[in-house]
Amino acid sequence: AQKITQTQPGMFVQEKEAVTLDCTYDTSDQSYGLFWYKQPSSGEMIFLIYQGSYDEQNATEGRYSLNFQKARKSANLVISASQLGDSAMYFCAMREGWMDSSYKLIFGSGTRLLVRP
Amino acid sequence: NAGVTQTPKFQVLKTGQSMTLQCAQDMNHEYMSWYRQDPGMGLRLIHYSVGAGITDQGEVPNGYNVSRSTTEDFPLRLLSAAPSQTSVYFCASRPFVANEKLFFGSGTQLSVL
């Protein structure tokens, strides 16, 4: 069965520095997708970035980039120039199933990031 | 746009009570789902639906019931609440497009005493 692992329950980063949040996955599918979501203290789930298994380039969205290493089955989130507003819980998720209609997202346990001023 | 709307935001139940968490979306999304979020466990899929009249179980379906009579609504029913169902519940939807992200509601914090 597919599985997502986030091994860092909590992390600190100094404001304006870069930080990497780890995510490893396990799947036997050739076609899959990886997502990152942010959950601030207010509780809503905010989509950050997506990487497809056949995408040759690493995904980037503003200060967020995804370091995709297919052979190692890792999809780490890199946040550049951290801001105080980046303090939140971050979840890595993977598409399970190959059909467009019925695929499900499975989530890791999350990493709580705290940005220090 | 309203997006995905969940009600109520907070609910306290006694063990054995039943209730329905409401979820509605106005984006004409075919796919809808319910997750529960517990500390240290991320989000776990309870039930999902790929269209009106079609539902299926996720990872943790026991104690929950769903139905999908319209594209817009996907209520989650707790049949006989138990303390183990104390959690934050999220409804999420997406269109049938490859690799499209899930759109989440704001969540329902449920406590079962």
Side-chain angles (χ1 to χ4, degrees), chain A residues 15-16 82-88 115-117:
Chain A
E15 191 179 9
K16 300 180 184 177
S82 297
Q83 302 172 355
L84 296 179
D86 293 334
S87 294
V115 181
R116 289 170 167 157

Coordinates of all heavy atoms in Angstrom, one line a residue, chain A residues 15-16 82-88 115-117:
Chain A
E15 N 14.1 33.5 10.8 CA 13.5 34.3 9.8 C 14.5 34.7 8.7 O 15.7 34.9 9.0 CB 12.9 35.6 10.4 CG 12.0 36.4 9.5 CD 11.5 37.7 10.3 OE1 12.0 37.9 11.4 OE2 10.6 38.3 9.7
K16 N 14.1 34.7 7.4 CA 14.8 35.0 6.3 C 15.8 33.8 5.8 O 16.4 34.0 4.7 CB 15.6 36.3 6.4 CG 14.8 37.5 6.7 CD 15.6 38.7 6.9 CE 14.7 39.9 7.2 NZ 15.5 41.2 7.5
S82 N 12.4 32.4 4.8 CA 11.3 32.2 5.7 C 10.7 33.5 6.3 O 11.5 34.4 6.6 CB 11.7 31.2 6.8 OG 12.1 30.0 6.3
Q83 N 9.4 33.5 6.4 CA 8.7 34.6 7.0 C 8.0 34.1 8.3 O 7.7 33.0 8.4 CB 7.7 35.2 6.0 CG 8.4 35.7 4.7 CD 7.4 36.1 3.7 OE1 6.1 36.0 3.9 NE2 7.9 36.6 2.6
L84 N 7.7 35.1 9.1 CA 6.9 34.7 10.4 C 5.6 34.0 10.0 O 5.2 33.1 10.7 CB 6.7 35.9 11.3 CG 8.0 36.6 11.8 CD1 7.6 37.8 12.6 CD2 8.8 35.6 12.6
G85 N 5.0 34.4 9.0 CA 3.7 33.8 8.5 C 3.8 32.4 8.0 O 2.8 31.8 7.8
D86 N 5.1 31.9 7.9 CA 5.3 30.5 7.4 C 5.1 29.6 8.6 O 5.1 28.3 8.4 CB 6.6 30.3 6.8 CG 6.8 31.1 5.5 OD1 5.8 31.4 4.8 OD2 8.0 31.5 5.2
S87 N 5.1 30.1 9.8 CA 4.9 29.2 11.0 C 3.5 28.5 10.8 O 2.5 29.1 10.8 CB 4.9 30.0 12.3 OG 6.2 30.5 12.5
A88 N 3.6 27.2 10.7 CA 2.3 26.4 10.5 C 2.7 24.9 10.5 O 3.8 24.5 10.6 CB 1.8 26.8 9.1
V115 N 8.9 29.6 12.8 CA 9.9 30.6 12.3 C 10.2 31.6 13.4 O 9.3 32.3 14.0 CB 9.3 31.4 11.1 CG1 10.4 32.4 10.6 CG2 9.0 30.4 10.0
R116 N 11.5 31.7 13.8 CA 11.9 32.6 14.9 C 12.3 33.9 14.3 O 12.9 34.0 13.2 CB 13.1 32.0 15.5 CG 12.9 30.8 16.4 CD 14.2 30.1 16.8 NE 14.0 29.1 17.8 CZ 14.8 28.1 18.1 NH1 15.9 28.0 17.3 NH2 14.6 27.3 19.0
P117 N 11.9 35.0 15.0 CA 12.2 36.4 14.5 C 13.7 36.7 14.8 O 14.4 36.0 15.6 CB 11.4 37.3 15.3 CG 11.0 36.5 16.5 CD 11.0 35.1 16.2

